[in-house]
Amino acid sequence: MYTVISFFFMVWYCVKGYNLMVGLAIMAMVWMSLALVGNYFSPNPAMEGQGLIDVLTHIYAMGPAEYAKSILVNVFFGAFFGRVLVDSGIAATLIRKVVELGGDKPRITMSLLCIVTAIIFMSMTGIGPVISIAVIVLPILMSLGISAPIALFSFMGSIMAGIFANVVNFKQYQTIYAGFNPAAESYTYNDYFQIGMIGMVVSLVVVLVVANISMNKKKHYAMAAEVQSDSGDAPMISWLAVLIPVLDVVLLDIPIILGFMIAGIWALLFTGKLRGGYKEICRQFAKLFTDGATDVAPMVGFLMTLAMFNNFAAYASSYFSAIFGDFIPKTPLVLAIAFAILTPLGFLRGPLSLVGSGSAILAVVLAVNPTMPVAFLFPLFATTTIAPQHLDITQSWVAWGLGYTKVSSREYMKKSIPTGWVIGAIVCMITFLLYGNF
């Protein structure tokens, strides 16, 4: 019972917006203590044959080590590539071309910017690249007469759409899932790609519909938006760098790190950045990687504590299963409907968010449904994580955007929560239709 109380405390902690890295570290220690005490009175099957040092090693050593091996290198190289797109001018060029194409038509320009932003964030990651793109896109949208709340919502919604098909995020969620079910290690990005692209398209459509409905013609005026450039446009051939990582993985089955390296070199080569001799090129690569690492440093700390939290959730799952097990659906249709209805519980790092307090729920669902395939369960948890989290005020770049645009969190959430719910519900039901017959 104390473990369950602590779980709801964790949900409350996330809702209040306190530091998640510290919160997860605290919860790992609290749950470890409770489980060790509980194991003393009633043996825990997950701890059978393990002493105190074995348990501590599994949580505090094996957890972060296994996580680092499988995900952190992808995060760092993804952040490096994000910096390449920003510093090479490719991202800004794509945005400028979209603005030129949309001209003085706010709705068309907004739609085109959202589509391009989603495509860019199929590969990019980290708050640094997000802010670098945001300080270009948001002023353009607002210069077209689009109100700040709608501009911020549509931009953040387009990032969320791209994350559905983002390779780095896929690896992150796959690693969390594999901590409870090793079968997920053989579930590849190629296996996920179909539902990821469907999630991306559904998200873009819903976000743009909500944004357009929210636009009041009386409050908007049309004017030609201009994007200043100090370095000129990046050559068209360099734009392909945005898609190279995804194409490499999907079409050629190339490891994603190599994909990021190839795309980065392609971008720098065709934008004329590989100049100045060998030493200068090496210095440039080192700077790009350092800046990228800085962008994702808070995320890395969070992921390390999340790994500890996840490893301990495996020990706590038997307690949660005993209490909540009877309430967990055991058929694919009912489970998909439950996820669709409960998608809002992924907001505020809630119990359906894998990067919040949801890993314990994942452990329970897997314990109750041990034979359900990864191809069905993984997209459900990915959906209730991505759709709410990347529209959520606890997301770092959303919090930054609220401050940058001076939009109130309440005004933003009026659009973000219903939108995330609708997107999650649609994608959950599509997941059942595609993967629920097994």
Side-chain angles (χ1 to χ4, degrees), residues 122-419:
M122 289 173 66
S123 301
M124 287 177 65
T125 188
I127 187 172
V130 171
I131 293 175
S132 298
I133 302 297
V135 296
I136 301 173
V137 172
L138 292 176
I140 290 173
L141 293 175
M142 289 186 284
S143 74
L144 290 169
I146 298 173
S147 66
I150 297 174
L152 180 65
F153 163 76
S154 61
F155 176 68
M156 295 302 173
S158 63
I159 293 176
M160 178 268 293
I163 295 298
F164 260 102
N166 187 283
V167 183
V168 173
N169 279 75
F170 165 78
K171 291 295 294 182
Q172 178 184 344
Y173 307 141
Q174 180 200 38
T175 302
I176 295 173
Y177 196 109
F180 301 99
N181 182 2
E185 295 177 359
S186 60
Y187 180 75
T188 67
Y189 180 75
N190 282 13
D191 299 322
Y192 169 79
F193 183 71
Q194 180 184 28
I195 191 64
M197 290 302 299
I198 290 173
M200 177 177 168
V201 173
V202 169
S203 299
L204 276 173
V205 170
V206 175
V207 166
L208 289 174
V209 168
V210 172
N212 276 276
I213 291 175
S214 301
M215 292 173 67
N216 183 336
K217 292 182 179 180
K218 295 181 180 179
K219 294 183 180 180
H220 296 274
Y221 58 90
M223 60 178 290
E226 296 183 0
V227 186
Q228 300 298 324
S229 172
D230 297 327
S231 56
D233 290 338
M236 187 176 296
I237 191 173
S238 68
W239 304 354
L240 186 59
V242 174
L243 295 176
I244 285 178
V246 175
L247 294 176
D248 281 347
V249 173
V250 174
L251 300 180
L252 304 176
D253 205 23
I254 288 177
I256 185 56
I257 292 176
L258 179 58
F260 282 135
M261 293 174 64
I262 293 173
I265 293 172
W266 179 284
L268 295 172
L269 178 63
F270 287 104
T271 54
K273 300 296 182 180
L274 294 181
R275 297 175 180 173
Y278 180 75
K279 288 185 178 179
E280 175 60 24
I281 292 174
C282 290
R283 186 202 65 78
Q284 184 177 9
F285 272 97
K287 182 179 185 302
L288 288 167
F289 198 89
T290 300
D291 291 345
T294 300
D295 291 335
V296 296
M299 181 194 300
V300 170
F302 167 73
L303 292 176
M304 289 294 92
T305 54
L306 179 63
M308 301 175 193
F309 181 81
N310 289 345
N311 268 28
F312 185 76
Y315 290 127
S317 63
S318 59
Y319 303 115
F320 288 117
S321 296
I323 297 175
F324 297 126
D326 292 339
F327 301 98
I328 301 296
K330 298 178 178 61
T331 63
L333 177 59
V334 178
L335 192 63
I337 292 174
F339 270 68
I341 294 173
L342 299 176
T343 293
L345 294 181
F347 280 97
L348 303 170
R349 312 281 178 167
L352 283 186
S353 173
L354 290 178
V355 291
S357 52
S359 58
I361 299 299
L362 171 61
V364 175
V365 171
L366 289 174
V368 174
N369 299 285
T371 61
M372 278 195 182
V374 177
F376 173 67
L377 282 180
F378 180 92
L380 288 181
F381 274 98
T383 297
T384 57
T385 298
I386 295 171
Q389 179 199 346
H390 293 89
L391 287 173
D392 194 8
I393 59 173
T394 65
Q395 180 65 26
S396 57
W397 50 73
V398 174
W400 171 87
L402 292 172
Y404 179 77
T405 57
K406 303 296 188 290
V407 173
S408 70
S409 57
R410 180 180 179 183
E411 193 170 11
Y412 173 79
M413 289 166 60
K414 285 180 180 178
K415 297 178 182 64
S416 66
I417 293 179
T419 301

Side-chain angles (χ1 to χ4, degrees), residues 98-109:
V98 164
V99 173
E100 292 173 7
L101 184 62
D104 59 356
K105 300 177 177 62
R107 296 177 189 274
I108 293 177
T109 302

